[in-house]
Amino acid sequence: MASKFSGVLQLTDLDDFITPSQACIKPVTVEKKKGRSLAKIQIEDDGSYFQINQDGGKQKLEKAKITLNDCLACSGCITSAESVLITQQSHEELFRVLRNNKTSATEQKMVVVSMSPQSRASLAAHYGLSSSETGRRLTSFFKGIGVHHVFDTSFSRTFSLLENQREFIERFQKKEQDRTALPMLTSSCPGWICYAEKTHGEFILPYISTTRSPQQMMGSLVKGYFAEQKGLSPEQIYHVTVMPCFDKKLEASRPDFYLDKAETREVDCVITSVEVMKMLEEENVSLSDMEPAPLDAMFSSVHGDEFLSHAGSSSGGYLHQVFTYAAKQLFGEGVEELTYKTLKNKDFQEVTLEKDGVVLLRFALSYGFRNIQNLVQKLKRGKSPYHFVEVMACPSGCVNGGGQVQPLANETSKELVQKVEELYKAESLLAPEDNAHVAELYQSWLHNVGKEKARELLHTQYHAVEKNTNGLVAKW
């Protein structure tokens, strides 16, 4: 399995690793307005960092210790201030909120957990269960420790898929006027987004879809529509997501997903599949022994007691959905089954739509850093033949994320990834257009807030990071 943060997060365009001499700690001055749960950071004249608590107490912070495998490609690595944010993205923080709910009468939070299907499949592989059975037992576990609602991000991914296909049609129709309209590159992988912002900046960002990832779509739903339905303000809800990779913690911490008025993040805490295992262990519980519980249907794609999924790759099916929709909408061609052609390796595949010997659409999957590098270099040379690319930082995609459960002693990483993939794809399919609940939400939630607000809730923006010139990164 992949190691912690995705390998695509690195500093140079040349290879997979940063130079060992690159400084990993740099002083920062934090002037952003923080939420009520965030500490203030004070930097002393001697360079030491102190956390200032709400009661005025001071606590000295240790500098973050970062290995090459943990590198975040931020031209300065994790600062001490950022390490506080990452600490709050942990299962210990979730336990703290749940304990506080039991002991405090005045600071109650409604706790919502949104689980990704890739994490569910990873845990299912470890415990020898089906993905849906794992979901039912995890629902029982989370509610047993004080969580109020457990949702499924396949539901919010429906919004992501629908918005992706609409955005692609818009881009395709203006490709003659805007040279950066195509290829459209997917935006659901935060490792890829971080790499794009910090390594290629203004060149690559216009190509990237503005559609939010399923995690942040669920953030909009939970802190927006759901809060209104429950008569709560956004800060009264503590929203946790369970994800297959550590990079998602960084995505949740982006300023774009912070609600200034409510002083809260749309996703308060991200925990990984392996952190859910730690929670089970700390509670002395085995998922195999848990009694299943009914699934929360409000924000979950379910049929009875079974989860539903989308066609296509185990990283979300973006290529499949956009390709079939575009073929029908743009060329009147119905595509029942896609034929993938493997090119340099299994993580770089393409799909084409041809008519009378003419290629009408050429889409690709590009997973892993090497393939992403080749993709970007072709774009820079003006030689990319693609209209759309599904981009993921991890080889084999999201099922192989760095936060997934590790293989047992008697199995290889390749065997485990294959098993997780099979469990993921064993779920029944529901086309995004056929999800009646999502269609109803487009009317009752998004239509009522107006076009501009709806776009803000479903889309995002990116920020090129200016590179610091540092002689230490020179390669000799």
Side-chain angles (χ1 to χ4, degrees):
M1 304 290 278
S3 63
K4 226 167 188 187
F5 291 100
S6 61
V8 77
L9 296 181
Q10 51 84 57
L11 286 173
T12 72
D13 297 338
L14 300 177
D15 56 39
D16 288 311
F17 306 101
I18 69 169
T19 53
S21 58
Q22 174 67 31
C24 284
I25 297 293
K26 65 176 182 180
V28 293
T29 302
V30 180
E31 297 178 347
K32 294 178 182 177
K33 186 177 181 182
K34 297 298 183 182
R36 292 168 186 163
S37 63
L38 300 184
K40 293 182 179 179
I41 306 300
Q42 179 176 310
I43 305 172
E44 301 294 337
D45 292 337
D46 62 359
S48 57
Y49 291 69
F50 284 85
Q51 175 178 315
I52 310 300
N53 301 321
Q54 290 183 341
D55 60 2
K58 295 171 66 174
Q59 177 185 350
K60 188 173 182 179
L61 299 175
E62 293 185 9
K63 287 186 176 182
K65 296 177 175 64
I66 307 301
T67 67
L68 292 181
N69 285 337
D70 297 326
C71 177
L72 303 181
C74 59
S75 295
C77 296
I78 295 182
T79 63
S80 296
E82 287 171 319
S83 72
V84 175
L85 287 175
I86 299 302
T87 298
Q88 293 178 343
Q89 301 279 332
S90 67
H91 72 285
E92 287 96 344
E93 185 65 13
L94 171 56
F95 273 136
R96 186 194 67 77
V97 171
L98 293 172
R99 285 195 301 270
N100 194 62
N101 271 354
K102 294 177 181 178
T103 58
S104 173
T106 58
E107 296 183 13
Q108 292 288 306
K109 298 268 189 181
M110 177 175 283
V111 182
V112 175
V113 170
S114 300
M115 177 166 286
S116 71
Q118 293 89 355
S119 291
R120 206 168 58 238
S122 178
L123 290 160
H126 181 81
Y127 288 102
L129 303 168
S130 71
S131 180
S132 288
E133 181 66 19
T134 300
R136 291 192 292 273
R137 295 186 186 211
L138 284 170
T139 298
S140 177
F141 169 69
F142 280 123
K143 290 191 173 181
I145 61 174
V147 172
H148 299 91
H149 297 276
V150 181
F151 298 141
D152 164 39
T153 62
S154 292
F155 180 83
S156 55
R157 188 173 65 196
T158 304
F159 285 95
S160 296
L161 292 169
L162 292 171
E163 290 302 306
N164 260 276
Q165 67 186 26
R166 288 169 185 159
E167 183 180 351
F168 178 77
I169 297 298
E170 291 175 4
R171 284 172 172 259
F172 191 91
Q173 292 173 339
K174 66 176 185 180
K175 67 181 187 298
E176 301 301 331
Q177 295 78 37
D178 182 0
R179 65 179 184 82
T180 63
L182 299 177
M184 178 172 132
L185 311 176
T186 56
S187 57
S188 64
C189 173
W192 150 239
I193 296 301
C194 183
Y195 168 73
E197 288 181 324
K198 295 174 178 178
T199 308
H200 298 289
E202 296 295 349
F203 168 76
I204 201 71
L205 297 183
Y207 294 100
I208 299 177
S209 166
T210 61
T211 299
R212 286 180 178 227
S213 71
Q215 171 175 282
Q216 298 310 140
M217 285 288 190
M218 189 63 88
S220 276
L221 276 167
V222 169
K223 291 293 182 89
Y225 179 82
F226 179 75
E228 290 175 7
Q229 295 297 303
K230 293 296 182 180
L232 300 172
S233 58
E235 66 270 22
Q236 290 178 295
I237 297 176
Y238 188 75
H239 184 205
V240 183
T241 61
V242 180
M243 289 288 144
C245 78
F246 288 85
D247 299 349
K248 284 290 182 182
K249 296 172 185 280
L250 299 176
E251 180 181 48
S253 299
R254 289 174 70 92
D256 307 275
F257 305 128
Y258 182 80
L259 303 175
D260 292 314
K261 187 176 180 180
E263 296 186 334
T264 185
R265 299 189 185 281
E266 293 176 335
V267 177
D268 298 287
C269 179
V270 179
I271 59 176
T272 59
S273 314
V274 73
E275 286 176 285
V276 172
M277 273 195 63
K278 287 181 182 178
M279 292 180 70
L280 290 163
E281 291 168 2
E282 290 175 18
E283 292 292 304
N284 295 315
V285 170
S286 170
L287 209 58
S288 304
D289 300 329
M290 289 293 301
E291 286 294 322
L295 302 174
D296 281 335
M298 183 175 186
F299 292 149
S300 296
S301 294
V302 297
H303 178 69
D305 59 358
E306 297 292 320
F307 284 100
L308 301 174
S309 189
H310 299 112
S313 72
S314 55
S315 296
Y318 295 92
L319 181 150
H320 186 281
Q321 178 63 26
V322 176
F323 187 89
T324 53
Y325 182 82
K328 187 70 174 177
Q329 293 297 313
L330 295 172
F331 304 106
E333 297 288 327
V335 179
E336 297 296 327
E337 187 174 343
L338 275 64
T339 301
Y340 290 85
K341 179 183 177 182
T342 300
L343 299 180
K344 292 186 177 182
N345 51 66
K346 66 180 179 61
D347 282 329
F348 198 98
Q349 302 182 47
E350 71 172 33
V351 179
T352 58
L353 176 68
E354 297 185 29
K355 188 174 184 180
D356 300 327
V358 177
V359 175
L360 303 177
L361 292 174
R362 192 185 297 273
F363 282 31
L365 296 173
S366 181
Y367 294 174
F369 179 48
R370 292 295 183 187
N371 290 325
I372 290 174
Q373 272 191 320
N374 291 333
L375 172 69
V376 172
Q377 294 308 320
K378 282 187 176 180
L379 269 173
K380 286 188 171 182
R381 295 195 300 267
K383 294 181 181 286
S384 174
Y386 300 109
H387 298 106
F388 178 97
V389 186
E390 180 178 303
V391 185
M392 300 291 160
C394 292
S396 300
C398 295
V399 292
N400 189 35
Q404 297 284 66
V405 179
Q406 299 298 299
L408 299 172
N410 61 345
E411 67 181 344
T412 66
S413 295
K414 185 177 180 181
E415 289 170 342
L416 178 57
V417 170
Q418 184 176 348
K419 187 188 299 183
V420 175
E421 180 104 9
E422 289 171 355
L423 285 164
Y424 175 95
K425 293 195 170 182
E427 294 178 347
S428 299
L429 303 179
L430 176 66
E433 296 88 346
D434 296 335
N435 192 315
H437 190 185
V438 169
E440 188 273 328
L441 281 170
Y442 264 102
Q443 292 300 315
S444 63
W445 173 41
L446 297 169
H447 180 73
N448 288 337
V449 299
K451 187 175 181 180
E452 286 189 13
K453 182 63 176 177
R455 179 171 178 78
E456 178 186 327
L457 293 169
L458 301 178
H459 291 258
T460 187
Q461 56 189 333
Y462 310 109
H463 316 279
V465 177
E466 184 177 347
K467 291 185 180 181
N468 293 325
T469 302
N470 187 344
L472 293 176
V473 301
K475 301 196 174 187
W476 304 95

